Amino acid sequence: MLPALGGVGLRGDAGREAETRDEVTILGLRLNVRLTVVVLASTMLLLLDEYHRVLPSDAVGSGARSSAVERTVLYLVIPAAIVVFGFCNRLGDHGLRIGEWRPGLRWTVGSLAALAPI
């Protein structure tokens, strides 16, 4: 229990240690720490994208390139850093891996060939 946080503490009963290890109790409400971090981080990143510039406007260029780089940082680099450094997991555990790339490459080339004349 952390008294400085007003009753916020990690639960860790002997029989339920594996399932409550990642839970925190705030004012009687049990929250999964990882899910709470995901919800808060995604909400904050969406708000940052909508209302603030993360990168200086002259750092990358202007227009679409600046927005693309900024959104890559907001929606790929920061969440990947949260998974790797915050959750101590591999990105592959969350579905970001190569997988079956040959069918995907065929679909991409076929789509580009079909849509390029349009």
Side-chain angles (χ1 to χ4, degrees):
M1 203 61 107
L2 301 172
L5 297 177
V8 176
L10 292 173
R11 300 182 54 110
D13 301 325
R16 297 179 17 168
E17 182 177 351
E19 65 185 54
T20 61
R21 171 181 42 178
D22 292 334
E23 287 184 353
V24 65
T25 302
I26 300 175
L27 301 173
L29 180 64
R30 285 188 346 202
L31 300 170
N32 185 308
V33 173
R34 290 180 184 218
L35 292 177
T36 304
V37 167
V38 167
V39 169
L40 290 176
S42 60
T43 303
M44 291 299 121
L45 292 173
L46 286 169
L47 288 172
L48 272 174
D49 183 34
E50 184 66 27
Y51 295 112
H52 298 289
R53 301 275 310 166
V54 176
L55 301 174
S57 59
D58 60 346
V60 181
S62 61
R65 185 186 319 168
S66 176
S67 293
V69 170
E70 187 170 290
R71 288 185 176 148
T72 301
V73 169
L74 283 175
Y75 299 131
L76 179 67
V77 174
I78 293 175
I82 290 172
V83 167
V84 171
F85 300 115
F87 296 160
C88 297
N89 288 349
R90 296 177 313 158
L91 292 175
D93 295 340
H94 295 271
L96 189 62
R97 58 179 168 247
I98 297 293
E100 297 181 27
W101 61 274
R102 287 188 176 102
L105 182 63
R106 281 189 223 121
W107 275 100
T108 302
V109 169
S111 298
L112 287 174
L115 296 174
I118 297 176

